[in-house]
Amino acid sequence: MSLTRRHALALLAATPVAAQARSPRNFRYLAPRPPMGWNSWDSFAATINEEQARANAAVMASKLLPHGYDIFTVDIQWYEPGATGFDYRVGVELAMDANGRLLPALNRFPSAAKGRGFKPLADYAHRLGLKFGIHLMRGVPRLAADRNLPILGARHRCGDIADRVNICTWNSDMYGVDMSKPGAQAYYDSVFKLIASWGIDFVKVDDISRPYHRNQPEIEAIRRAIDRSGRPMVLSLSPGETALTAATHVAEHANLWRISDDFWDEWKLLLSQFKRLADWAPHLRPGAWPDADMLPLGLLAMGKRRTRFTPDEQRTMMTLWSIARSPLIMGGDLRALDADTLALLTNDEVLRVNQHGSEARQLFRTGNQVAWTSRDGDARYLALFNVGETADEVAADLTALGISGKARVRHLWAGSDLPDARGRIAVTLPAHGSALYRVR
């Protein structure tokens, strides 16, 4: 890094965050490293309520925050009073204000009464030392458009801006917003002004990154609305698969973006993430992170089951997400956090790979053998994977890491030093297994 670049970063670090966020060029500094946190979807679907949220936030602050997990996010349908699970019901009443802006359902979030919205829950998270995030769908509620509610701060109405053609195929709550219509930007501005008043730090906008290029006008509108809101917010775009042709545009408007559809605890889905992360690796930059989705660990699916990943697969997922520098967002119910899952999430040497690695890339993929590498100062990280169905030896030449002669090796999952290596590092891995090393 040049001295000029270091000086610029130092000056920015000394600048108040609110002042940084006023410039669209600076929003990436809100996420200088891959975001880490928790999201309610994997464990609560659309049904999380305030009691459950507060209980999970308390565990997160106690057990995960000391290791860097600081973004607590309430996912989809928080505005639907009768949400029941992973499905989306058609034509249901939603909680919203007179200007077509969604509000927390009071039967689920009672502290939102008297116009307080999510502010009491966000304040609780902030007192715990956490940042507070919410999920939003792209567009304007169909109910608001069909009732032609007025847009706050504009002469136009919700029905005037609704795009009734480019709509979500899997959730019927919203119309798109036609950004060519007068009042369209004013609507998005009003939404983000409202959630800024609640103290929102992170917003996940859904149904927007596929098809990406069709939705670019709305992505740009959301970027403007955040910048005008007066509050810094990390912006996450969902779901995938975000087009690689959008790499430059998405990094100019968002902090993280999904690279796949919803990721669940199935080996075939984990296997498919190897190629996606390798394809996106050249586009990593501070403040702009390709997102392989949440970590489906622990108790999932509204308490109905625990993760289907084997212990080896769980470690492989964490190793891949860490070396590839994907955001680390835990999905399981933290009230049932077990010791093994906690240990997997809080290995600080592994987390350093995710948070401080650079130049992350796939080193090779030959048959069922995969290797990744990244750099941390004068050290190299090396991840080895066996994606086959039987045990196999996986090896990497040290010269491929730029290392000649003898090298010191540390096994990061075990937290132990290994004998010095010469020429290569080799290990026999179980099916779907992995190893992660720091090499000097």
Side-chain angles (χ1 to χ4, degrees):
M1 183 184 294
S2 69
L3 289 175
T4 301
R5 176 68 170 157
R6 288 195 187 102
H7 183 61
L9 288 173
L11 287 176
L12 189 72
T15 305
V17 172
Q20 294 175 29
R22 280 195 286 271
S23 169
R25 296 181 180 180
N26 291 339
F27 75 89
R28 283 189 290 271
Y29 291 93
L30 299 175
R33 293 174 293 279
M36 300 171 63
W38 180 85
N39 179 289
S40 62
W41 172 251
D42 286 357
S43 46
F44 291 97
T47 69
I48 191 168
N49 61 36
E50 184 161 355
E51 180 182 2
Q52 294 163 338
R54 287 176 179 258
N56 273 271
V59 177
M60 180 176 170
S62 172
K63 296 186 177 182
L64 297 183
L65 179 60
H67 301 275
Y69 296 84
D70 63 353
I71 300 174
F72 180 91
T73 303
V74 172
D75 208 88
I76 198 167
Q77 303 301 112
W78 43 266
Y79 39 81
E80 183 184 344
T84 58
F86 287 98
D87 57 327
Y88 303 105
R89 301 181 301 156
V90 178
V92 298
E93 192 68 27
L94 307 178
M96 61 184 180
D97 68 9
N99 297 111
R101 300 177 299 179
L102 296 168
L103 301 172
L106 294 182
N107 64 320
R108 295 168 55 192
F109 299 95
S111 70
K114 299 181 181 179
R116 291 186 292 250
F118 268 130
K119 190 172 191 315
L121 189 53
D123 287 347
Y124 174 74
H126 294 156
R127 287 194 298 271
L128 292 174
L130 303 174
K131 300 170 185 175
F132 185 71
I134 60 171
H135 174 287
L136 289 176
M137 291 291 292
R138 172 180 70 94
V140 59
R142 292 188 186 217
L143 294 176
D146 293 345
R147 295 169 186 173
N148 210 23
L149 298 180
I151 296 171
L152 186 68
R155 295 182 293 105
H156 308 282
R157 291 180 170 268
C158 292
D160 300 331
I161 66 169
D163 183 345
R164 292 173 169 83
V165 176
N166 294 322
I167 57 177
C168 182
T169 59
W170 45 268
N171 184 315
S172 64
D173 292 341
M174 314 290 279
Y175 291 124
V177 169
D178 184 342
M179 293 310 303
S180 70
K181 298 294 182 64
Q185 185 65 53
Y187 178 74
Y188 270 125
D189 288 351
S190 73
V191 169
F192 281 88
K193 279 282 189 183
L194 176 64
I195 69 172
S197 74
W198 296 343
I200 302 302
D201 306 295
F202 177 99
V203 60
K204 172 185 173 182
V205 181
D206 213 335
D207 185 43
I208 201 164
S209 60
R210 186 190 59 208
Y212 187 93
H213 295 294
R214 185 199 75 185
N215 294 332
Q216 277 185 205
E218 285 188 83
I219 293 168
E220 293 167 6
I222 288 167
R223 175 76 269 147
R224 286 190 293 270
I226 293 175
D227 295 336
R228 295 171 179 177
S229 73
R231 183 173 181 83
M233 297 182 209
V234 171
L235 175 59
S236 168
L237 303 183
S238 189
E241 184 168 327
T242 303
L244 280 164
T245 54
T248 298
H249 187 273
V250 72
E252 291 175 350
H253 293 85
N255 297 104
L256 58 156
W257 55 91
R258 285 271 298 282
I259 62 171
S260 73
D261 284 330
D262 284 3
F263 175 75
W264 279 104
D265 46 336
E266 299 177 34
W267 171 250
K268 67 178 182 179
L269 298 181
L270 176 50
L271 183 61
S272 71
Q273 297 297 61
F274 278 85
K275 182 179 187 306
R276 291 191 180 99
L277 286 165
D279 289 344
W280 276 102
H283 305 288
L284 289 168
R285 69 171 75 174
W289 307 105
D291 179 10
D293 202 13
M294 291 170 285
L295 304 167
L297 297 169
L299 186 64
L300 304 169
M302 301 173 66
K304 294 178 181 177
R305 62 177 177 82
R306 300 195 74 82
T307 185
R308 292 179 291 231
F309 280 143
T310 67
D312 286 324
E313 291 167 348
Q314 292 176 49
R315 180 176 287 190
T316 288
M317 176 181 62
M318 283 295 294
T319 300
L320 179 61
W321 266 234
S322 294
I323 193 76
R325 306 203 73 192
S326 172
L328 297 176
I329 310 295
M330 168 60 171
D333 189 340
L334 297 181
R335 299 173 304 175
L337 187 61
D338 60 282
D340 289 341
T341 303
L342 179 62
L344 190 72
L345 291 168
T346 58
N347 183 313
D348 290 326
E349 292 188 86
V350 172
L351 296 180
R352 183 175 177 87
V353 180
N354 177 266
Q355 295 290 289
H356 295 281
S358 64
E359 304 173 27
R361 62 186 176 90
Q362 182 175 281
L363 192 61
F364 64 78
R365 182 169 184 171
T366 306
N368 293 324
Q369 301 181 359
V370 184
W372 274 71
T373 185
S374 67
R375 183 187 296 275
D376 185 358
D378 64 348
R380 282 283 190 173
Y381 294 121
L382 174 65
L384 300 177
F385 302 92
N386 172 18
V387 299
E389 299 303 316
T390 58
D392 195 8
E393 181 182 84
V394 185
D397 291 335
L398 293 179
T399 55
L401 307 181
I403 297 173
S404 59
K406 184 172 63 175
R408 289 175 290 162
V409 182
R410 185 166 176 82
H411 188 309
L412 298 186
W413 281 113
S416 61
D417 294 326
L418 299 179
D420 290 347
R422 288 185 180 274
R424 68 198 292 262
I425 292 177
V427 62
T428 297
L429 295 172
H432 305 177
S434 61
L436 182 59
Y437 306 103
R438 186 182 71 232
V439 186
R440 295 180 187 269

